[in-house]
Amino acid sequence: MVAIRDRSESKNSEHHSIEEEYDRRAALFENSHDPIVEYEFDGETAIIKAVNGAFEDVFGYSAEEVVDRAADDVLVPTEKYAEYRSFLQKLLQHERVEAEVRRQTITGPREFLFRGIRFEADDSSLGGYAIYMDITERKERERKQREAKEHFEKIFEHANDAIVIFDPSRDTFKECNVQACDLLGYSREEFLDLAPSDVYSYDPPRFLELVDEVLDEGTGWSDEFGCSTSTGGILPTEISASRIEIDGRPHVLALVRDISDRIEHEREIRQRSTAMDATTDGMAILDADGKYVYVNRAHAEMYGYADPAELVGESWQQLYDGAEIQRIETDIEPIIKRRGRWRGEATGQHRDGSTFPQELVLTELEDNGWVYAVRDITDRKIIERKLEILNEASRELVTAETTGTITRRSLEAVDRVLGFDISCVRLFDSETNTLEPIAMTPGAEALIDSCPAFDLEATLAGHAYRRGETVSTEVDEDGSRSNGTYRASLHLSLGEYGTLTIFSRANIRFEELDIHRAELLAAAIRAALERDEREKVLRRNERELRQQRDQLDTLNQINSLIEELIHRLVGATTREEINQIICDRLVASDFYESAWVGTTDVASENITPQTGAGVDDGYLEALATMPLSYIENGIVARAFQTGEFQVLRQYQVTNPGLNETIEDGTLPPEEVEAVAAIPLKYDERIYGVLVVNATCEDAFSRTAQTGFEVLGDTIGFAIYAVLNRDLLLSDSVVELEFEVTDPRCVPVLFSQRLGCRCQLKQTAPLGDGKFLSYLRLEGASADDALEVAESTDLVESGRIVSEHDSEILLELIQAESVAQTLMEVGASVRTVVADDGEGRLVAEAPQTANVREIVETFRVIHPESNLLAKREVDHPVKTVAEFRDDLEDRLTDKQIAAIESAYASGYFDWPRKNTATELAATLGISAPTLHQHLRHAERKLLETFINGV
């Protein structure tokens, strides 16, 4: 059985469904807000078959323009072609495509979200839909958002101010820039770990109030807000904050600015403002319209306004009259515009209409306003006028020809310049040592007559004169000192010349300005007196020049006299001859009245006159009985004590009449009597004093004094030479033997300390007041000897030269030498030997020597000593031939040959002309043998020369 179903109904139903689907697609295609392109594949090319209305609206192409055209030719920009081909490949492979693309519209490229759909048509052709959602505006918004974000990040990171973002509800920081870290001294990690309440802990209530304001109002601002730094300090800041949303939560973005510099600047401004308010100069600030915006009190009061506020908002022109306003606008303002500043004098106008001179400084500000500084110079103008009068008076004083004219004009100037009519000039009188009134006004003369107490004011004038300063006094409040006539006195120094005294009347006192002008007038008077004095000096110049020529001639003659004396001393053979030559030649000159030479003993306080010229014998005998300090007012004693030239001048003035003067205005000349004491010394030894008397002022001038000092040293050396020559050339000498137990005698000291025998071998001067001595010690050790040398202040240093058996040769450096001291008085030490603290010293002196002086000199050195014996012994003088004979007797023939050959060949020259090797070869001996002969010969030569053996 075959069942047959009618399928026509089924087909109709399916066809109807297809039509409905097509209708739905067509409706969707046409009514879609997004552009849709229907295409059909022709191989791998998509051909546009239809477009909807949205496409025409968005792309700007009509359907007729694009249908049956390849999509890539119409819609795809060249740079996107490769991307478009990749989309087609995916669609051909049944893949769904969705991507953001750029497509060409009639107005240019636009951005779209592209979705590609493939389908197969009934005719088995391949096709699809391209749906474009226009996202151009969204992409633009995203781009702008990215740019805004990038811009914000740049601002955030590179802003000069610190920027922080924090969550107020969680009290945490969300973000901070580098500047915020640097500002508070934290690293970024440290900063983000902090709580905002920790950073703004200085004033928590104020911080919370700012946060609430930002959250409520959207923005907030706070000035001088303290932030805690990493070091614990509080940094003043300015905070500007805004509310922002992050992840749906409200946050605060805060810009934090360091205002430390601004606060300091404001403090300085406040200080300057305070200074401007406190200054005595008028200070004001004008705006560009010339109206006051700031006025200090001094400025307002200067113009007669009690309150600075009265001038604020007013024009500067109300403080000047019409002429001055025109001058400022015409002459001064252009200068201010050009230079930015003007300074000069102007005439201001008080509130009451009176005018006053002023010094004005105007400085232009950047906003075209002015800084306006003014000073009232009324007092200065008065002073300038007074100074003009003072200058006129000074010129009149300059033309005055005499002291009297100067003093009279001075009193007239006091009245004209200062307005005081009671004054006088006192000049110093050197004869009476007082200030004598030279010129007085009638008022001063009446005051002297009516007020005996006026004389007491002379003490104040004397004070001003002595100290060279101004002295002013006022009467007591009860008027006890005024006597009803004057209130105060003013005493001004006129330098070395005297004083100017001014009195004020009972109802007037001296102001500081009066005193200043009086001092200027006193200076002018002093200058006039100085000029008068200089003119007197000029009138004396010719006489003084003549006197100077005479003085020079005198000095030349004195110098020639001293040179002659020095030459004549060379031939003197005795001390007496030296003294007589000096005295006779000095008195024979035209300059010196008398001269004498005296000596003094070591222990005596009297002088022993030796010889003299121009004096009576009785005078010299009287000198021997007088204490040394009484002779010539003590200058002789000072010459002995100091070893320096001394001079005494006594002046006598011949003045027959008190007012008598020479024609050039000078006083009569003075007569002088001068006495000089010249020490006669050599080294540190003073052999006597030459006393010279003269009546010539130039006889002992500074130049002549130098010559006499040289003469004194030359005479001292001549005496020293004579004493030593007598000792060397005398056929017989006086031998003095002393017993010495004084431990300050070095040989006695060593023998006492060491219990040995000590002999002084030799003493030689080293210079600088030091002496080299050699001691021979028998029975002592070297260590003990050095220990003694180190322990005594008599020895500066010591060393062992040689040590043989029980005998030591010790070398010492000493600051004193008895041999040198005795030689200065004409004696020489022959031997010094000491045993166990007891010594014997033998000295020799010529027959002409002063034995008493020698003994006293020795006892001064060694008080613990006695003169045991004084003997006359023969002291034959050897001739040169006898000296050579004695030397040849002591030398061998080989020693003579060696030393004579060495001398003749230049061996002893420097540099050597012959060496020891060459000389030894010439003599036919070895070099060591030559040195041995030379050493023996040199030793015997020195022994013969030094010891005379």
Side-chain angles (χ1 to χ4, degrees), residues 925-937:
I925 59 177
S926 65
T929 302
L930 172 66
H931 285 300
Q932 183 178 13
H933 290 331
L934 289 177
R935 278 198 303 274
H936 286 302

Side-chain angles (χ1 to χ4, degrees), residues 545-719:
L545 288 173
R546 184 170 61 253
Q547 290 176 347
Q548 289 175 2
R549 288 194 296 268
D550 294 342
Q551 290 172 0
L552 181 60
D553 184 58
T554 299
L555 289 176
N556 289 334
Q557 294 181 53
I558 292 173
N559 288 333
S560 298
L561 172 62
I562 293 174
E563 290 178 5
E564 178 189 347
L565 287 172
I566 292 173
H567 287 298
R568 293 185 63 179
L569 288 176
V570 176
T573 58
T574 65
R575 186 170 182 174
E576 291 74 13
E577 184 181 358
I578 292 172
N579 294 339
Q580 198 63 55
I581 289 173
I582 296 298
C583 293
D584 291 344
R585 185 64 188 89
L586 287 173
V587 174
S589 70
D590 296 332
F591 308 109
Y592 305 104
E593 299 291 325
S594 64
W596 56 274
V597 175
T599 61
T600 183
D601 298 330
V602 175
S604 175
E605 294 185 359
N606 296 87
I607 195 165
T608 302
Q610 299 295 321
T611 188
V615 294
D616 297 333
D617 292 339
Y619 177 74
L620 295 180
E621 292 174 0
L623 290 175
T625 63
M626 295 174 63
L628 187 60
S629 60
Y630 288 7
I631 300 174
E632 304 296 358
N633 286 338
I635 65 170
V636 176
R638 287 198 297 273
F640 271 115
Q641 293 168 359
T642 63
E644 297 178 353
F645 180 95
Q646 304 290 329
V647 65
L648 173 67
R649 294 182 175 88
Q650 295 178 328
Y651 295 91
Q652 295 181 351
V653 179
T654 301
N655 190 6
L658 179 63
N659 298 320
E660 182 179 343
T661 59
I662 302 176
E663 291 182 359
D664 62 358
T666 61
L667 293 174
E670 298 174 328
E671 293 183 358
V672 63
E673 181 180 352
V675 181
I678 303 100
L680 312 178
K681 62 181 182 178
Y682 174 69
D683 201 3
E684 297 298 325
R685 179 73 181 182
I686 299 177
Y687 292 100
V689 170
L690 169 64
V691 181
V692 184
N693 180 278
T695 57
C696 175
E697 170 69 21
D698 303 324
F700 300 118
S701 64
R702 184 173 298 276
T703 305
Q705 176 180 332
T706 302
F708 273 104
E709 289 173 347
V710 173
L711 177 62
D713 292 342
T714 305
I715 296 172
F717 175 75
I719 294 173

Side-chain angles (χ1 to χ4, degrees), residues 57 83 271 316 367 388 499 512 543 596 598 706 714 757:
D57 293 338
E83 177 189 68
Q271 289 178 343
W316 63 269
D367 60 358
E388 290 176 4
T499 60
E512 183 177 349
R543 184 171 63 88
W596 56 274
T706 302
T714 305
R757 178 181 178 83

Side-chain angles (χ1 to χ4, degrees), residues 420-622:
F420 297 102
D421 60 351
I422 308 176
S423 60
C424 70
V425 174
R426 296 180 176 95
L427 296 185
F428 179 71
D429 188 333
S430 60
E431 294 182 0
T432 62
N433 198 34
T434 59
L435 291 169
E436 296 294 336
I438 300 299
M440 293 182 288
T441 64
E445 293 177 355
L447 182 61
I448 293 175
D449 294 337
S450 64
C451 183
F454 170 79
D455 291 339
L456 296 177
E457 299 294 340
T459 60
L460 298 175
H463 180 87
Y465 174 76
R466 290 191 302 273
R467 297 195 178 182
E469 59 187 26
T470 301
V471 177
S472 62
T473 59
E474 291 194 13
V475 300
D476 299 332
E477 290 297 327
D478 59 3
S480 59
R481 292 179 54 196
S482 70
N483 199 25
T485 304
Y486 74 94
R487 179 179 182 87
S489 63
L490 185 63
H491 307 268
L492 303 108
S493 171
L494 300 180
E496 63 184 288
Y497 303 101
T499 60
L500 169 65
T501 299
I502 306 172
F503 298 91
S504 69
R505 296 200 176 268
N507 60 343
I508 302 174
R509 68 171 66 235
F510 291 111
E511 301 295 340
E512 183 177 349
L513 186 59
D514 295 328
I515 297 174
H516 177 66
R517 290 201 300 269
E519 289 174 342
L520 292 177
L521 178 59
I525 298 171
R526 181 171 64 249
L529 292 172
E530 288 175 351
R531 177 191 54 77
D532 182 58
E533 183 67 22
R534 286 196 300 271
E535 290 180 355
K536 289 180 181 178
V537 171
L538 290 174
R539 290 193 295 269
R540 292 195 297 264
N541 274 349
E542 183 177 353
R543 184 171 63 88
E544 290 181 356
L545 288 173
R546 184 170 61 253
Q547 290 176 347
Q548 289 175 2
R549 288 194 296 268
D550 294 342
Q551 290 172 0
L552 181 60
D553 184 58
T554 299
L555 289 176
N556 289 334
Q557 294 181 53
I558 292 173
N559 288 333
S560 298
L561 172 62
I562 293 174
E563 290 178 5
E564 178 189 347
L565 287 172
I566 292 173
H567 287 298
R568 293 185 63 179
L569 288 176
V570 176
T573 58
T574 65
R575 186 170 182 174
E576 291 74 13
E577 184 181 358
I578 292 172
N579 294 339
Q580 198 63 55
I581 289 173
I582 296 298
C583 293
D584 291 344
R585 185 64 188 89
L586 287 173
V587 174
S589 70
D590 296 332
F591 308 109
Y592 305 104
E593 299 291 325
S594 64
W596 56 274
V597 175
T599 61
T600 183
D601 298 330
V602 175
S604 175
E605 294 185 359
N606 296 87
I607 195 165
T608 302
Q610 299 295 321
T611 188
V615 294
D616 297 333
D617 292 339
Y619 177 74
L620 295 180
E621 292 174 0

